[in-house]
Amino acid sequence: MTQEDEIFEKLNKGDPAAAGELAELYYGDILRYCLFHVPDRSLAQDAVQETFLRVFRYFDGYTHRGNFRAFLYKVAANVCIDICRKKTWEPMPKQVPFEEKGLKEEEDREDFRRLVELLPEELREIVILRFSQELKLREIARVTGLPMRTVQSRLRKALNLLKQELERREEP
């Protein structure tokens, strides 16, 4: 039995602390996901909070079949879309100031984000879910509602485009 299953068992028994455990289990993953979809960290944190609020508001209608992670990402995607519709964004600056602590990780994450932004939207989402969120292809298919073969082919196409872009950048 997974940790998620144990938490759902507690929820079904009416344990009020179980909701907090569930949110704590996925908070970091959903925050990283939202950071890719909204450029402002505080808005990403708001998106995470709204995601969990929506999930728990309509929790009675959810039947746990082991797909909760995919369900959570789908809700987060919808929340991010709603936030982006409401807000007009300033363009992202070319140089983002970083704190010294964790500088290399932040630089790598920013390089990844800029590369991924070059991809068409339908490819970008799959790359983010696969490499930033470390979802399996089957989970990505559930989140996006696409057939597994389509997810595989789009991921392959995205990787080829990213490889071409990296090769282009390395040319003298």
Side-chain angles (χ1 to χ4, degrees):
M1 183 179 273
T2 66
Q3 183 179 5
E4 181 182 286
D5 293 332
E6 291 172 5
I7 293 171
F8 272 95
E9 195 173 294
K10 290 179 187 177
L11 282 168
N12 290 334
K13 291 179 181 176
D15 183 354
E21 289 179 43
L22 193 60
E24 187 177 315
L25 180 64
Y26 289 112
Y27 185 88
D29 292 338
I30 299 301
L31 177 61
R32 280 191 304 280
Y33 177 79
C34 291
L35 284 169
F36 274 95
H37 291 283
V38 294
D40 181 85
R41 185 173 187 82
S42 67
L43 282 174
Q45 290 169 332
D46 291 346
V48 174
Q49 295 299 321
E50 180 63 25
T51 296
F52 285 107
L53 283 174
R54 286 186 189 180
V55 165
F56 291 124
R57 186 177 304 136
Y58 302 108
F59 198 70
D60 293 340
Y62 177 77
T63 304
H64 182 60
R65 294 185 191 108
N67 300 355
F68 183 73
R69 186 175 182 191
F71 171 72
L72 195 57
Y73 278 107
K74 190 66 175 170
V75 173
N78 289 334
V79 168
C80 289
I81 288 168
D82 290 346
I83 287 175
C84 288
R85 283 182 185 151
K86 293 176 187 174
K87 181 96 172 140
T88 57
W89 307 108
E90 295 177 16
M92 192 162 175
K94 292 292 180 197
Q95 286 289 14
V96 178
F98 296 109
E99 296 177 16
E100 194 170 312
K101 180 182 173 189
L103 177 63
K104 178 68 175 140
E105 292 83 12
E106 284 296 322
E107 286 177 342
D108 290 346
R109 190 173 300 125
E110 186 59 30
D111 289 343
F112 175 73
R113 182 179 174 145
R114 286 184 189 199
L115 263 177
V116 171
E117 283 177 352
L118 300 174
L119 294 172
E121 178 60 37
E122 69 273 2
L123 302 179
R124 183 181 322 142
E125 183 71 9
I126 291 171
V127 170
I128 290 170
L129 290 170
R130 178 67 187 106
F131 297 107
S132 172
Q133 302 310 120
E134 298 176 359
L135 293 183
K136 296 176 182 160
L137 295 179
R138 191 165 312 286
E139 291 175 307
I140 295 171
R142 280 190 221 125
V143 169
T144 60
L146 296 170
M148 179 75 149
R149 296 264 186 211
T150 303
V151 170
Q152 290 171 328
S153 96
R154 287 186 182 179
L155 181 59
R156 192 174 320 115
K157 182 178 181 180
L159 293 175
N160 284 334
L161 289 172
L162 291 173
K163 180 180 176 186
Q164 290 171 8
E165 178 62 23
L166 287 172
E167 288 172 352
R168 187 187 66 75
R169 289 180 179 192
E170 290 176 359
E171 291 177 0

